[in-house]
Amino acid sequence: MAALSAAGAGLLAGPATAAPTGEPSARPTATAEQPRPATKPAQAPVIPAAPTATKTPAKIGSTTATCGGQLPLGTVKNCASISGATKQTWTITSTVDQDTLYIRLRAISGDGVGAEVKGPDGTHACYVSSYLTDCALGAAGTYTVTVGLDYGTGKGTYSLSAESMRTPSTCVNLPDSFFSFASTGRSGTLPAGLAARCFTFKQPASTVLHLADPGGAEDIQGAILNGQFQPVCTVRYPTDCTLEGSGPYRLFLQETYGSKAAYTLKMPRLSRAVGCPALPLTGFGDPGAAVGTGTVPPNQGIGCQALRVTTPGPLLVRMEQNANQYLNWQVYDDAGRVVCAEWDSSRSCAAPTAGNYTFVAQNWNWEPVTYQVAVARLDQSEGCAAPTGLGWDQPTLTVHQTSAVQTNCQPFHGEAGERVMVYRTPDRYNDLSSWLVDEQGGVVCAETSEGEDGCVLPSTGTFRVVSYLSRWASEDTDLTYRMQVRSLSDATGCPTVTPGAYNAAPAGPLGAVRCRVLDLPAAGTYRVKAVGEDNYRQYANVYDSTGHRVCTDESCQVPTAGRYTLVLSGGAPDSVIDEGLRYHLAVLPWLPSDCRPASDTGWQDAPVRGQLANPAQFDCLQLSSPSGALITELLPGDATGAGSPEVTVIDSTGAFMCDSSWALRQYHCELTGQAPYFAVLNSRNGASDGPYSLAFARTDGPPACPTLPAGATGATVTTGADRFGVCFSIPADARAATESFTWKRTDGTGDARLSVFDSEGRRYCGPTGYAVERTISCSLPDGPVTVILEADGVDAAYQLTHRDASNPGA
């Protein structure tokens, strides 16, 4: 049988099969039924269908066991038995030329059946399979349908039904009220085996309809045809349909597998929409009564609100978050065109002309969803708060939200080129959104430049911060959030700080604002660190006079002398730092000066002592080791707080060499840069202020440490606050390949750890954990080795021995 069209066959005929040659009994069995997709496809298939005149209803079903004879249109005929090579012939009368028959041959039980349709002159018209077949006819007249078993053997029962595209047996009229959003639709049941049911309607060309899923849990589908019998849209999955060509339009509806199925047709009109409750536009602040509500049916059902826009301009659609988890929304103009959708218009929805618009929400949940929605005008200032300044000494704003769909507005005056940053945070957990609009409601800085903070204003004038909280519980009545609107360009209201010195506490804390103006005397790299009074670091950004970010973190390189602005959490819009925060700020040249000397034989010299009396204080030491030397830091094992500072080693150019987080304390530090070298000290995060005592030891020599004798006696050493590092060397000819080292406290308190370095000064074994007594085994490379014992800073005595690990009795 010829198909109505490629698109129509795809929908109405089910999975396509090639027409076989020969008699129906020689045809292969039908393609296996395809399961209905569980989710909405990217694009619903387009399917044909078309009818014209309306007739009186024909008989829909028949219980007769007759197998052959006349087949009236719109009737289901059941054959109780067909067997073997028997052929059963049915006749269908076509009253117009070039008609198309929708024919359904349905195997009820037993073996499969097929059929061939021939014209009045006996010529082949089409084959009929188990799916609905579109059979293109020629001249009007009587057509025969010959039914037989697929393989000419066995036995089965079947039903047969046919409907005409051009002269259907009956066509139910859908009145204009059917296309209202308020319509409950048209419901009914398709009998088992029915070819198709016809509906007809009149609407202007280019009308846009929303086609709902007619079957719900059933696989019901159909096609809309125009007055020229051309396919327009598929009715199966929820989608929008634009009527093309002139009417009247016909819809032929069928169940994919010919089963009995209940349907509900709903096709609300999106162009010139009717039946939607009116939703007045609102200003900023609490929308009051200007809130639309509704309950959207499940499984891609839709709900709507009617909007009236008197002058063109941008709108903001606000739907409560609980509903927004399941509902997607779009706004249509009066012609049925989408003017904005949720995913690309969350900040602004353009209403390009005055007139009627329709808000439509679609439900992807399996349960009904009740929603609230408000639509505010972005180009009007009604409901805005009093304007605020951009100085950093302005008080933090508290914003109230008293409705789930409220939008707030905070005006301010800005200059062209000024870079503005908005900081905001809810007073309890919530999702908070904010952005800038100009006087016309246009979104400013929809995208931010990488590596930059804030928004550069395109012109001089009044701008507004649009903001709202998304989460709203049923018991909520007044939620608040804090906001700071600040200028990063030529910042005002910030205390001024000039560079300080190493080995001295910085000035501060100055003022109760989150910013400082850094007055820097020269270009170069500066050490900049903000620390709260609890000695926890406060991360900050530094900006130049135009608001461009210059640096983040401690190392800040500035191109010229001048004034720069430091802002705590400067690039974090969700960070409001209120006026109550007090913090210290270190601003120092990166390369230290006036540093105290520190020897690299700390195991025999007095340790370096100092006092970190301020959270942001940096001390510096100048090391005595030459370029290429390897060093390690010696520290009392019981040192805590300020007594265990962060130590960073740099060369004379400021290049990083190592620090105490790893190499300086756990491995070894190789001084590869340019001498002299400096150790920069600072309190660890959260550590209390106080004294420190530390030393350094060169592990690659010279000078060589005293020799540690082999054997059970070894050496006994005393340790204390002035000597917590002990160093010994073992000549190459006085040790084995694998050595066993033992230390044991013989007097006093505390414990110790041990490290072994090879002849090049690289840590080879250890550091061990701290212990009162312990023995370790260490396999070593050729050459002399250095052994360092680090003890607590308390009075104690330790015995230290080594022996050949392979000969414990030696």
Side-chain angles (χ1 to χ4, degrees), residues 451-505:
E452 297 292 351
D453 300 326
C455 175
V456 177
L457 302 182
S459 60
T460 298
T462 298
F463 295 84
R464 284 168 287 163
V465 182
V466 176
S467 62
Y468 60 82
L469 293 168
S470 297
R471 298 179 181 271
W472 188 269
S474 58
E475 66 273 12
D476 291 333
T477 57
D478 185 4
L479 301 182
T480 58
Y481 53 98
R482 288 165 292 145
M483 180 183 295
Q484 295 168 337
V485 188
R486 302 291 186 256
S487 175
L488 297 176
S489 309
D490 290 326
T492 61
C494 304
T496 299
V497 175
T498 56
Y502 287 86
N503 303 310

Side-chain angles (χ1 to χ4, degrees), residues 23-90:
E23 295 299 318
S25 60
R27 296 170 66 243
T29 56
T31 304
E33 294 180 355
Q34 301 295 315
R36 184 183 188 193
T39 57
K40 179 181 178 181
Q43 182 176 358
V46 177
I47 306 189
T52 48
T54 302
K55 293 191 172 186
T56 57
K59 186 177 181 183
I60 295 300
S62 173
T63 59
T64 178
T66 302
C67 296
Q70 185 180 4
L71 179 63
L73 298 177
T75 299
V76 179
K77 292 289 188 177
N78 296 307
C79 176
S81 176
I82 184 170
S83 61
T86 302
K87 307 293 183 182
Q88 297 176 349
T89 302
W90 301 82

Side-chain angles (χ1 to χ4, degrees), residues 454-795:
C455 175
V456 177
L457 302 182
S459 60
T460 298
T462 298
F463 295 84
R464 284 168 287 163
V465 182
V466 176
S467 62
Y468 60 82
L469 293 168
S470 297
R471 298 179 181 271
W472 188 269
S474 58
E475 66 273 12
D476 291 333
T477 57
D478 185 4
L479 301 182
T480 58
Y481 53 98
R482 288 165 292 145
M483 180 183 295
Q484 295 168 337
V485 188
R486 302 291 186 256
S487 175
L488 297 176
S489 309
D490 290 326
T492 61
C494 304
T496 299
V497 175
T498 56
Y502 287 86
N503 303 310
L510 303 173
V513 294
R514 65 190 297 173
C515 66
R516 300 288 186 267
V517 169
L518 310 182
D519 192 353
L520 305 180
T525 303
Y526 290 84
R527 192 179 303 274
V528 178
K529 184 178 181 181
V531 184
E533 291 189 301
D534 57 0
N535 204 13
Y536 279 95
R537 182 174 178 185
Q538 301 288 323
Y539 289 87
N541 289 345
V542 176
Y543 303 91
D544 64 15
S545 61
T546 66
H548 288 281
R549 190 197 308 167
V550 176
C551 63
T552 304
D553 296 328
E554 284 190 38
S555 177
C556 186
Q557 185 174 5
V558 298
T560 62
R563 293 167 65 86
Y564 296 83
T565 304
L566 175 141
V567 180
L568 299 189
S569 301
D574 56 352
S575 171
V576 170
I577 299 177
D578 288 325
E579 294 78 0
L581 176 71
R582 296 169 63 83
Y583 63 98
H584 302 263
L585 180 64
V587 181
L588 302 166
W590 183 258
L591 196 64
S593 58
D594 300 325
C595 302
R596 291 172 292 159
S599 77
D600 57 9
T601 54
W603 46 271
Q604 68 179 14
D605 300 327
V608 177
R609 298 184 185 279
Q611 176 89 10
L612 293 174
N614 184 282
Q617 179 176 330
F618 283 86
D619 283 5
C620 70
L621 306 172
Q622 183 169 331
L623 306 180
S624 60
S625 299
S627 178
L630 277 75
I631 63 171
T632 187
E633 179 190 1
L634 304 178
L635 193 69
D638 56 351
T640 58
S644 178
E646 292 181 343
V647 180
T648 302
V649 177
I650 59 175
D651 70 3
S652 61
T653 67
F656 174 84
M657 297 287 101
C658 62
D659 62 31
S660 55
S661 66
W662 168 243
L664 200 56
R665 288 287 296 150
Q666 307 298 325
Y667 194 45
H668 53 261
C669 178
E670 186 171 2
L671 304 179
T672 58
Q674 180 177 324
Y677 299 92
F678 303 96
V680 178
L681 284 61
N682 183 235
S683 295
R684 296 182 184 275
N685 209 28
S688 57
D689 301 332
Y692 60 84
S693 175
L694 54 82
F696 298 92
R698 182 177 177 182
T699 57
D700 63 333
C705 300
T707 300
L708 177 63
T713 303
T716 299
V717 296
T718 58
T719 61
D722 293 329
R723 190 190 185 200
F724 42 78
V726 178
C727 179
F728 287 97
S729 62
I730 304 175
D733 59 358
R735 68 171 184 83
T738 302
E739 284 285 303
S740 178
F741 297 92
T742 300
W743 74 95
K744 178 181 179 181
R745 192 184 75 208
T746 59
D747 192 20
T749 59
D751 48 20
R753 72 174 189 173
L754 183 136
S755 298
V756 182
F757 297 81
D758 65 13
S759 60
E760 295 181 346
R762 301 180 184 280
R763 196 184 304 253
Y764 212 82
C765 293
T768 67
Y770 284 90
V772 172
E773 179 178 353
R774 185 173 178 184
T775 298
I776 66 167
S777 181
C778 184
S779 297
L780 297 165
D782 294 339
V785 297
T786 300
V787 180
I788 292 182
L789 186 74
E790 290 180 88
D792 290 348
V794 294
D795 293 340

